[in-house]
């Protein structure tokens, strides 16, 4: 910036009167659209952003590259631009794409970019920390970030005040949108409608009685769905049994998997039983017949990871809204057993001893049926009826019998 308090005589012919940036000016465009459908169409939004940002190019200049994403502005830079090329190609956006925000930050110094132009700051990111971080990283390598909606001229403090206010507005808008979204999702669960993929013993069916606006403001609305029992009733029985094995017999996932896998006709599964599936079903409160939301925080900043929220933050439907596999009290007891197992409190039960002996002989122990006094178990090809309390003396007799079998 040339000083308004110049010398009394013309000194412009002196060496060093004005420093010249020896680097050629190389401006690039950066933009963002939140979604690829609905009210934000990338095929029209991105070219519009380019047109607005172009107003800050000097005469005869063109953008050397175009960096834009179709992703939430709430994501940190390292999670931006990870969408597959096929998705971007399918959008048919007339503006070329040389990468996303993270690509821009990584390549700016290598390719000698000098200016990054965007329509406004929230096109960089809605989270103020992200936009500040990107600005700081680019500033360190001598790259200036320019937003087209900022005024030309004036004082640096005035420009900075407007930029930071715009970033605060974007951050506040981000918070409002999260609050509104969370509120809507909470009401969705309270109403009994399902979020996500249905658990193993259920399918998701459209609720024909759910209210549906005649014309949605933001395009076509997805129908609300409730959980219903899977057409294969054996899935309900399998889910009930694996929960019982944890709750009553204190079995680890590996033992439960062995039991379920030993009788595929009784406990059907697409593929195979896994530790993740078994533990996930035992921990899933939807098996109680209630809808539950906010169990996980998916945006943790770590790709592929979700953080479990405290139970106190979960949103439950007040009533049972679909057929339960277990009661709420039974589910609670199973969680206590799981916590004890993870803490190392593995009680040596009579049944655990029996299972260990059977396992050494390549056999599994599974419950066939039970009543108030007795339980029928299958041990390999044999069936044994024992008192439900499973006294040690009877267990020892069965163990001796197994070990004495040639």
């Amino acid at each position: 910036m040339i000083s308004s308090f110049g010398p009394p005589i013309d000194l412009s012919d002196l060496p060093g009167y004005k420093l010249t940036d020896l680097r050629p000016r190389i401006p690039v465009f950066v933009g963002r659209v939140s979604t690829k459908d609905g009210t934000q169409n990338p095929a029209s939004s991105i070219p519009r952003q380019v047109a607005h940002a172009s107003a800050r190019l000097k005469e005869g200049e063109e953008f050397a590259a175009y960096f834009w994403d179709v992703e939430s502005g709430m994501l940190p830079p390292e999670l931006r631009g990870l969408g597959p090329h096929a998705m971007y190609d399918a959008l048919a956006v007339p503006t070329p794409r040389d990468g996303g925000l993270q690509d821009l930050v990584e390549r700016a110094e290598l390719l000698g970019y000098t200016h990054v132009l965007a329509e406004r700051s929230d096109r960089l990111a809605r989270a103020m920390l992200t936009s500040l971080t990107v600005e700081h990283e680019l500033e360190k390598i001598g790259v200036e970030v320019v937003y087209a909606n900022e005024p030309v001229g004036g004082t640096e403090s005035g420009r900075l005040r407007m930029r930071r206010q715009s970033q605060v507005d974007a951050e506040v808008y981000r918070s409002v949108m999260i609050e509104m979204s969370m509120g809507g999702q909470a009401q969705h669960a309270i109403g009994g409608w399902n979020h996500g993929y249905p658990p193993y013993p259920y399918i998701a069916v459209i609720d024909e009685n759910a209210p549906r606006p005649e014309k949605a403001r933001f395009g076509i609305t997805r129908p609300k769905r409730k959980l219903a029992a899977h057409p294969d009733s054996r899935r309900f029985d399998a889910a009930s049994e694996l929960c019982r094995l944890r709750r009553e017999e204190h079995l680890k996932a590996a033992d439960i998997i062995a039991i379920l896998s030993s009788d595929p006709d009784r406990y059907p599964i697409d593929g195979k039983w896994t530790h993740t599936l078994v533990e996930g079903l035992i921990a899933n409160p939807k098996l109680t017949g209630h809808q539950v939301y906010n169990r996980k925080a998916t945006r943790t900043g770590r790709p592929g990871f979700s953080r479990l929220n405290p139970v106190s933050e979960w949103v439950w439907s007040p009533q049972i809204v679909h057929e339960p596999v277990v009661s709420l009290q039974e589910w609670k007891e199973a969680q206590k057993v799981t916590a004890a197992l993870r803490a190392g409190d593995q009680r040596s039960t009579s049944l655990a001893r029996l299972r260990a002996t059977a396992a050494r002989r390549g056999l599994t122990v599974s419950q066939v049926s039970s009543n108030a006094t007795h339980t029928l178990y299958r041990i390999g090809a044999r069936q044994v009826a024992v008192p439900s309390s499973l006294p040690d003396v009877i267990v020892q007799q069965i163990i001796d019998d197994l070990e004495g079998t040639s």
Side-chain angles (χ1 to χ4, degrees), residues 1 25 52-58 117 144 146-156 158-160 162-163:
M1 182 178 68
R25 182 179 159 102
H52 287 179
S54 297
R56 300 301 292 269
L57 291 171
K58 292 186 178 298
L117 278 60
E144 182 181 353
V146 180
Y147 300 126
N149 69 330
E150 294 178 349
V152 179
T155 62
E156 175 63 15
R159 184 197 64 81
L160 188 61
M162 181 174 182
R163 173 171 294 192

Side-chain angles (χ1 to χ4, degrees), residues 189 192 202 227 236 284-292 316-328 331:
Y202 297 102
L227 294 180
F236 241 67
N284 198 326
K286 292 183 181 180
L287 269 61
T288 66
H290 293 266
Q291 266 300 337
V292 184
W316 297 70
S317 62
Q319 283 82 36
I320 290 177
V321 292
H322 51 260
E323 184 178 353
V325 173
V326 295
S327 69
L328 190 53
W331 178 85

